[in-house]
Amino acid sequence: MDLEENLPRRKDDLVAQLGKQDLDPYSVDELDERIELLTAEIERTRIKRERAVNHRASADALFKR
């Protein structure tokens, strides 16, 4: 288990900052680009999470023998 996963999120966390950012100044094209970038980041995060879950399951299976 990663020691940091139980720690609270830092106040300067980029995801928290993104959630507070004012979107009014952005054009429709800029918003579309932002959606594409965030969608790609979500997919990257899902892949990382899936690998972590699979790795943990493999380790659990190995040490239960």
Side-chain angles (χ1 to χ4, degrees), residues 28-44:
V28 172
D29 288 339
E30 290 170 324
L31 290 170
D32 287 341
E33 182 179 345
R34 182 181 175 107
I35 290 168
E36 286 179 35
L37 291 169
L38 292 171
T39 302
E41 180 60 16
I42 290 168
E43 184 59 26
R44 185 178 79 93

mmCIF file with all atom_site columns, all heavy atoms in Angstrom, residues 28-44:
data_model
loop_
_atom_site.group_PDB
_atom_site.id
_atom_site.type_symbol
_atom_site.label_atom_id
_atom_site.label_alt_id
_atom_site.label_comp_id
_atom_site.label_asym_id
_atom_site.label_entity_id
_atom_site.label_seq_id
_atom_site.pdbx_PDB_ins_code
_atom_site.Cartn_x
_atom_site.Cartn_y
_atom_site.Cartn_z
_atom_site.occupancy
_atom_site.B_iso_or_equiv
_atom_site.pdbx_formal_charge
_atom_site.auth_seq_id
_atom_site.auth_comp_id
_atom_site.auth_asym_id
_atom_site.auth_atom_id
_atom_site.pdbx_PDB_model_num
ATOM 1   N N   . VAL A 1 28 ? -15.375 28.847 -27.293 1.00 0.00 ? 28 VAL A N   1
ATOM 2   C CA  . VAL A 1 28 ? -15.907 27.501 -27.502 1.00 0.00 ? 28 VAL A CA  1
ATOM 3   C C   . VAL A 1 28 ? -14.790 26.568 -27.965 1.00 0.00 ? 28 VAL A C   1
ATOM 4   O O   . VAL A 1 28 ? -14.685 25.432 -27.490 1.00 0.00 ? 28 VAL A O   1
ATOM 5   C CB  . VAL A 1 28 ? -17.072 27.519 -28.521 1.00 0.00 ? 28 VAL A CB  1
ATOM 6   C CG1 . VAL A 1 28 ? -17.491 26.105 -28.895 1.00 0.00 ? 28 VAL A CG1 1
ATOM 7   C CG2 . VAL A 1 28 ? -18.256 28.305 -27.968 1.00 0.00 ? 28 VAL A CG2 1
ATOM 8   N N   . ASP A 1 29 ? -13.941 27.037 -28.867 1.00 0.00 ? 29 ASP A N   1
ATOM 9   C CA  . ASP A 1 29 ? -12.824 26.203 -29.335 1.00 0.00 ? 29 ASP A CA  1
ATOM 10  C C   . ASP A 1 29 ? -11.863 25.869 -28.193 1.00 0.00 ? 29 ASP A C   1
ATOM 11  O O   . ASP A 1 29 ? -11.380 24.735 -28.089 1.00 0.00 ? 29 ASP A O   1
ATOM 12  C CB  . ASP A 1 29 ? -12.056 26.903 -30.459 1.00 0.00 ? 29 ASP A CB  1
ATOM 13  C CG  . ASP A 1 29 ? -12.835 26.952 -31.761 1.00 0.00 ? 29 ASP A CG  1
ATOM 14  O OD1 . ASP A 1 29 ? -13.774 26.128 -31.938 1.00 0.00 ? 29 ASP A OD1 1
ATOM 15  O OD2 . ASP A 1 29 ? -12.517 27.810 -32.603 1.00 0.00 ? 29 ASP A OD2 1
ATOM 16  N N   . GLU A 1 30 ? -11.592 26.827 -27.347 1.00 0.00 ? 30 GLU A N   1
ATOM 17  C CA  . GLU A 1 30 ? -10.705 26.584 -26.201 1.00 0.00 ? 30 GLU A CA  1
ATOM 18  C C   . GLU A 1 30 ? -11.344 25.607 -25.215 1.00 0.00 ? 30 GLU A C   1
ATOM 19  O O   . GLU A 1 30 ? -10.655 24.748 -24.650 1.00 0.00 ? 30 GLU A O   1
ATOM 20  C CB  . GLU A 1 30 ? -10.368 27.900 -25.498 1.00 0.00 ? 30 GLU A CB  1
ATOM 21  C CG  . GLU A 1 30 ? -9.463  28.795 -26.310 1.00 0.00 ? 30 GLU A CG  1
ATOM 22  C CD  . GLU A 1 30 ? -9.323  30.183 -25.721 1.00 0.00 ? 30 GLU A CD  1
ATOM 23  O OE1 . GLU A 1 30 ? -10.308 30.717 -25.156 1.00 0.00 ? 30 GLU A OE1 1
ATOM 24  O OE2 . GLU A 1 30 ? -8.218  30.739 -25.838 1.00 0.00 ? 30 GLU A OE2 1
ATOM 25  N N   . LEU A 1 31 ? -12.644 25.707 -25.036 1.00 0.00 ? 31 LEU A N   1
ATOM 26  C CA  . LEU A 1 31 ? -13.340 24.776 -24.160 1.00 0.00 ? 31 LEU A CA  1
ATOM 27  C C   . LEU A 1 31 ? -13.323 23.367 -24.748 1.00 0.00 ? 31 LEU A C   1
ATOM 28  O O   . LEU A 1 31 ? -13.136 22.383 -24.023 1.00 0.00 ? 31 LEU A O   1
ATOM 29  C CB  . LEU A 1 31 ? -14.775 25.239 -23.906 1.00 0.00 ? 31 LEU A CB  1
ATOM 30  C CG  . LEU A 1 31 ? -14.911 26.487 -23.041 1.00 0.00 ? 31 LEU A CG  1
ATOM 31  C CD1 . LEU A 1 31 ? -16.353 26.999 -23.068 1.00 0.00 ? 31 LEU A CD1 1
ATOM 32  C CD2 . LEU A 1 31 ? -14.460 26.236 -21.616 1.00 0.00 ? 31 LEU A CD2 1
ATOM 33  N N   . ASP A 1 32 ? -13.509 23.266 -26.065 1.00 0.00 ? 32 ASP A N   1
ATOM 34  C CA  . ASP A 1 32 ? -13.428 21.961 -26.724 1.00 0.00 ? 32 ASP A CA  1
ATOM 35  C C   . ASP A 1 32 ? -12.043 21.341 -26.551 1.00 0.00 ? 32 ASP A C   1
ATOM 36  O O   . ASP A 1 32 ? -11.920 20.145 -26.270 1.00 0.00 ? 32 ASP A O   1
ATOM 37  C CB  . ASP A 1 32 ? -13.754 22.072 -28.216 1.00 0.00 ? 32 ASP A CB  1
ATOM 38  C CG  . ASP A 1 32 ? -15.230 22.303 -28.471 1.00 0.00 ? 32 ASP A CG  1
ATOM 39  O OD1 . ASP A 1 32 ? -16.051 22.023 -27.579 1.00 0.00 ? 32 ASP A OD1 1
ATOM 40  O OD2 . ASP A 1 32 ? -15.561 22.765 -29.586 1.00 0.00 ? 32 ASP A OD2 1
ATOM 41  N N   . GLU A 1 33 ? -11.011 22.156 -26.704 1.00 0.00 ? 33 GLU A N   1
ATOM 42  C CA  . GLU A 1 33 ? -9.644  21.674 -26.526 1.00 0.00 ? 33 GLU A CA  1
ATOM 43  C C   . GLU A 1 33 ? -9.429  21.219 -25.079 1.00 0.00 ? 33 GLU A C   1
ATOM 44  O O   . GLU A 1 33 ? -8.814  20.187 -24.821 1.00 0.00 ? 33 GLU A O   1
ATOM 45  C CB  . GLU A 1 33 ? -8.641  22.767 -26.882 1.00 0.00 ? 33 GLU A CB  1
ATOM 46  C CG  . GLU A 1 33 ? -7.198  22.322 -26.760 1.00 0.00 ? 33 GLU A CG  1
ATOM 47  C CD  . GLU A 1 33 ? -6.222  23.421 -27.136 1.00 0.00 ? 33 GLU A CD  1
ATOM 48  O OE1 . GLU A 1 33 ? -6.623  24.423 -27.750 1.00 0.00 ? 33 GLU A OE1 1
ATOM 49  O OE2 . GLU A 1 33 ? -5.039  23.269 -26.792 1.00 0.00 ? 33 GLU A OE2 1
ATOM 50  N N   . ARG A 1 34 ? -9.949  21.977 -24.156 1.00 0.00 ? 34 ARG A N   1
ATOM 51  C CA  . ARG A 1 34 ? -9.824  21.627 -22.736 1.00 0.00 ? 34 ARG A CA  1
ATOM 52  C C   . ARG A 1 34 ? -10.515 20.299 -22.446 1.00 0.00 ? 34 ARG A C   1
ATOM 53  O O   . ARG A 1 34 ? -9.994  19.443 -21.725 1.00 0.00 ? 34 ARG A O   1
ATOM 54  C CB  . ARG A 1 34 ? -10.431 22.751 -21.897 1.00 0.00 ? 34 ARG A CB  1
ATOM 55  C CG  . ARG A 1 34 ? -10.323 22.550 -20.405 1.00 0.00 ? 34 ARG A CG  1
ATOM 56  C CD  . ARG A 1 34 ? -10.989 23.729 -19.708 1.00 0.00 ? 34 ARG A CD  1
ATOM 57  N NE  . ARG A 1 34 ? -11.040 23.565 -18.283 1.00 0.00 ? 34 ARG A NE  1
ATOM 58  C CZ  . ARG A 1 34 ? -10.275 24.239 -17.430 1.00 0.00 ? 34 ARG A CZ  1
ATOM 59  N NH1 . ARG A 1 34 ? -9.413  25.113 -17.867 1.00 0.00 ? 34 ARG A NH1 1
ATOM 60  N NH2 . ARG A 1 34 ? -10.399 24.043 -16.135 1.00 0.00 ? 34 ARG A NH2 1
ATOM 61  N N   . ILE A 1 35 ? -11.699 20.107 -23.019 1.00 0.00 ? 35 ILE A N   1
ATOM 62  C CA  . ILE A 1 35 ? -12.428 18.843 -22.847 1.00 0.00 ? 35 ILE A CA  1
ATOM 63  C C   . ILE A 1 35 ? -11.611 17.681 -23.392 1.00 0.00 ? 35 ILE A C   1
ATOM 64  O O   . ILE A 1 35 ? -11.514 16.624 -22.751 1.00 0.00 ? 35 ILE A O   1
ATOM 65  C CB  . ILE A 1 35 ? -13.815 18.914 -23.520 1.00 0.00 ? 35 ILE A CB  1
ATOM 66  C CG1 . ILE A 1 35 ? -14.723 19.862 -22.730 1.00 0.00 ? 35 ILE A CG1 1
ATOM 67  C CG2 . ILE A 1 35 ? -14.455 17.530 -23.627 1.00 0.00 ? 35 ILE A CG2 1
ATOM 68  C CD1 . ILE A 1 35 ? -16.005 20.226 -23.447 1.00 0.00 ? 35 ILE A CD1 1
ATOM 69  N N   . GLU A 1 36 ? -11.001 17.848 -24.555 1.00 0.00 ? 36 GLU A N   1
ATOM 70  C CA  . GLU A 1 36 ? -10.166 16.790 -25.140 1.00 0.00 ? 36 GLU A CA  1
ATOM 71  C C   . GLU A 1 36 ? -8.992  16.448 -24.230 1.00 0.00 ? 36 GLU A C   1
ATOM 72  O O   . GLU A 1 36 ? -8.693  15.271 -24.004 1.00 0.00 ? 36 GLU A O   1
ATOM 73  C CB  . GLU A 1 36 ? -9.646  17.213 -26.510 1.00 0.00 ? 36 GLU A CB  1
ATOM 74  C CG  . GLU A 1 36 ? -10.685 17.191 -27.600 1.00 0.00 ? 36 GLU A CG  1
ATOM 75  C CD  . GLU A 1 36 ? -10.123 17.635 -28.944 1.00 0.00 ? 36 GLU A CD  1
ATOM 76  O OE1 . GLU A 1 36 ? -8.944  17.338 -29.224 1.00 0.00 ? 36 GLU A OE1 1
ATOM 77  O OE2 . GLU A 1 36 ? -10.872 18.265 -29.696 1.00 0.00 ? 36 GLU A OE2 1
ATOM 78  N N   . LEU A 1 37 ? -8.329  17.473 -23.704 1.00 0.00 ? 37 LEU A N   1
ATOM 79  C CA  . LEU A 1 37 ? -7.190  17.240 -22.817 1.00 0.00 ? 37 LEU A CA  1
ATOM 80  C C   . LEU A 1 37 ? -7.605  16.552 -21.525 1.00 0.00 ? 37 LEU A C   1
ATOM 81  O O   . LEU A 1 37 ? -6.942  15.614 -21.061 1.00 0.00 ? 37 LEU A O   1
ATOM 82  C CB  . LEU A 1 37 ? -6.497  18.575 -22.492 1.00 0.00 ? 37 LEU A CB  1
ATOM 83  C CG  . LEU A 1 37 ? -5.762  19.249 -23.640 1.00 0.00 ? 37 LEU A CG  1
ATOM 84  C CD1 . LEU A 1 37 ? -5.352  20.669 -23.251 1.00 0.00 ? 37 LEU A CD1 1
ATOM 85  C CD2 . LEU A 1 37 ? -4.545  18.440 -24.037 1.00 0.00 ? 37 LEU A CD2 1
ATOM 86  N N   . LEU A 1 38 ? -8.708  16.994 -20.952 1.00 0.00 ? 38 LEU A N   1
ATOM 87  C CA  . LEU A 1 38 ? -9.182  16.382 -19.712 1.00 0.00 ? 38 LEU A CA  1
ATOM 88  C C   . LEU A 1 38 ? -9.664  14.950 -19.939 1.00 0.00 ? 38 LEU A C   1
ATOM 89  O O   . LEU A 1 38 ? -9.451  14.074 -19.098 1.00 0.00 ? 38 LEU A O   1
ATOM 90  C CB  . LEU A 1 38 ? -10.287 17.238 -19.082 1.00 0.00 ? 38 LEU A CB  1
ATOM 91  C CG  . LEU A 1 38 ? -9.828  18.592 -18.545 1.00 0.00 ? 38 LEU A CG  1
ATOM 92  C CD1 . LEU A 1 38 ? -11.030 19.443 -18.143 1.00 0.00 ? 38 LEU A CD1 1
ATOM 93  C CD2 . LEU A 1 38 ? -8.870  18.421 -17.382 1.00 0.00 ? 38 LEU A CD2 1
ATOM 94  N N   . THR A 1 39 ? -10.304 14.705 -21.067 1.00 0.00 ? 39 THR A N   1
ATOM 95  C CA  . THR A 1 39 ? -10.741 13.346 -21.406 1.00 0.00 ? 39 THR A CA  1
ATOM 96  C C   . THR A 1 39 ? -9.540  12.416 -21.543 1.00 0.00 ? 39 THR A C   1
ATOM 97  O O   . THR A 1 39 ? -9.571  11.273 -21.053 1.00 0.00 ? 39 THR A O   1
ATOM 98  C CB  . THR A 1 39 ? -11.576 13.350 -22.699 1.00 0.00 ? 39 THR A CB  1
ATOM 99  O OG1 . THR A 1 39 ? -12.705 14.217 -22.504 1.00 0.00 ? 39 THR A OG1 1
ATOM 100 C CG2 . THR A 1 39 ? -12.055 11.972 -23.070 1.00 0.00 ? 39 THR A CG2 1
ATOM 101 N N   . ALA A 1 40 ? -8.481  12.897 -22.183 1.00 0.00 ? 40 ALA A N   1
ATOM 102 C CA  . ALA A 1 40 ? -7.259  12.096 -22.312 1.00 0.00 ? 40 ALA A CA  1
ATOM 103 C C   . ALA A 1 40 ? -6.643  11.831 -20.938 1.00 0.00 ? 40 ALA A C   1
ATOM 104 O O   . ALA A 1 40 ? -6.164  10.721 -20.668 1.00 0.00 ? 40 ALA A O   1
ATOM 105 C CB  . ALA A 1 40 ? -6.256  12.808 -23.219 1.00 0.00 ? 40 ALA A CB  1
ATOM 106 N N   . GLU A 1 41 ? -6.679  12.804 -20.062 1.00 0.00 ? 41 GLU A N   1
ATOM 107 C CA  . GLU A 1 41 ? -6.133  12.619 -18.710 1.00 0.00 ? 41 GLU A CA  1
ATOM 108 C C   . GLU A 1 41 ? -6.979  11.635 -17.904 1.00 0.00 ? 41 GLU A C   1
ATOM 109 O O   . GLU A 1 41 ? -6.450  10.821 -17.154 1.00 0.00 ? 41 GLU A O   1
ATOM 110 C CB  . GLU A 1 41 ? -6.030  13.962 -17.984 1.00 0.00 ? 41 GLU A CB  1
ATOM 111 C CG  . GLU A 1 41 ? -5.485  13.858 -16.581 1.00 0.00 ? 41 GLU A CG  1
ATOM 112 C CD  . GLU A 1 41 ? -4.079  13.270 -16.495 1.00 0.00 ? 41 GLU A CD  1
ATOM 113 O OE1 . GLU A 1 41 ? -3.364  13.191 -17.505 1.00 0.00 ? 41 GLU A OE1 1
ATOM 114 O OE2 . GLU A 1 41 ? -3.695  12.883 -15.379 1.00 0.00 ? 41 GLU A OE2 1
ATOM 115 N N   . ILE A 1 42 ? -8.281  11.689 -18.072 1.00 0.00 ? 42 ILE A N   1
ATOM 116 C CA  . ILE A 1 42 ? -9.159  10.725 -17.400 1.00 0.00 ? 42 ILE A CA  1
ATOM 117 C C   . ILE A 1 42 ? -8.834  9.313  -17.870 1.00 0.00 ? 42 ILE A C   1
ATOM 118 O O   . ILE A 1 42 ? -8.728  8.391  -17.057 1.00 0.00 ? 42 ILE A O   1
ATOM 119 C CB  . ILE A 1 42 ? -10.646 11.069 -17.645 1.00 0.00 ? 42 ILE A CB  1
ATOM 120 C CG1 . ILE A 1 42 ? -11.015 12.339 -16.881 1.00 0.00 ? 42 ILE A CG1 1
ATOM 121 C CG2 . ILE A 1 42 ? -11.560 9.905  -17.259 1.00 0.00 ? 42 ILE A CG2 1
ATOM 122 C CD1 . ILE A 1 42 ? -12.352 12.931 -17.272 1.00 0.00 ? 42 ILE A CD1 1
ATOM 123 N N   . GLU A 1 43 ? -8.657  9.128  -19.152 1.00 0.00 ? 43 GLU A N   1
ATOM 124 C CA  . GLU A 1 43 ? -8.330  7.805  -19.695 1.00 0.00 ? 43 GLU A CA  1
ATOM 125 C C   . GLU A 1 43 ? -6.982  7.320  -19.168 1.00 0.00 ? 43 GLU A C   1
ATOM 126 O O   . GLU A 1 43 ? -6.824  6.158  -18.792 1.00 0.00 ? 43 GLU A O   1
ATOM 127 C CB  . GLU A 1 43 ? -8.335  7.822  -21.223 1.00 0.00 ? 43 GLU A CB  1
ATOM 128 C CG  . GLU A 1 43 ? -8.099  6.472  -21.850 1.00 0.00 ? 43 GLU A CG  1
ATOM 129 C CD  . GLU A 1 43 ? -9.136  5.416  -21.456 1.00 0.00 ? 43 GLU A CD  1
ATOM 130 O OE1 . GLU A 1 43 ? -10.277 5.767  -21.110 1.00 0.00 ? 43 GLU A OE1 1
ATOM 131 O OE2 . GLU A 1 43 ? -8.785  4.227  -21.481 1.00 0.00 ? 43 GLU A OE2 1
ATOM 132 N N   . ARG A 1 44 ? -5.997  8.203  -19.112 1.00 0.00 ? 44 ARG A N   1
ATOM 133 C CA  . ARG A 1 44 ? -4.678  7.850  -18.589 1.00 0.00 ? 44 ARG A CA  1
ATOM 134 C C   . ARG A 1 44 ? -4.786  7.429  -17.121 1.00 0.00 ? 44 ARG A C   1
ATOM 135 O O   . ARG A 1 44 ? -4.164  6.451  -16.695 1.00 0.00 ? 44 ARG A O   1
ATOM 136 C CB  . ARG A 1 44 ? -3.725  9.042  -18.732 1.00 0.00 ? 44 ARG A CB  1
ATOM 137 C CG  . ARG A 1 44 ? -2.302  8.754  -18.335 1.00 0.00 ? 44 ARG A CG  1
ATOM 138 C CD  . ARG A 1 44 ? -1.429  9.985  -18.564 1.00 0.00 ? 44 ARG A CD  1
ATOM 139 N NE  . ARG A 1 44 ? -1.585  10.962 -17.517 1.00 0.00 ? 44 ARG A NE  1
ATOM 140 C CZ  . ARG A 1 44 ? -0.794  11.014 -16.425 1.00 0.00 ? 44 ARG A CZ  1
ATOM 141 N NH1 . ARG A 1 44 ? 0.187   10.150 -16.274 1.00 0.00 ? 44 ARG A NH1 1
ATOM 142 N NH2 . ARG A 1 44 ? -0.993  11.940 -15.523 1.00 0.00 ? 44 ARG A NH2 1
#
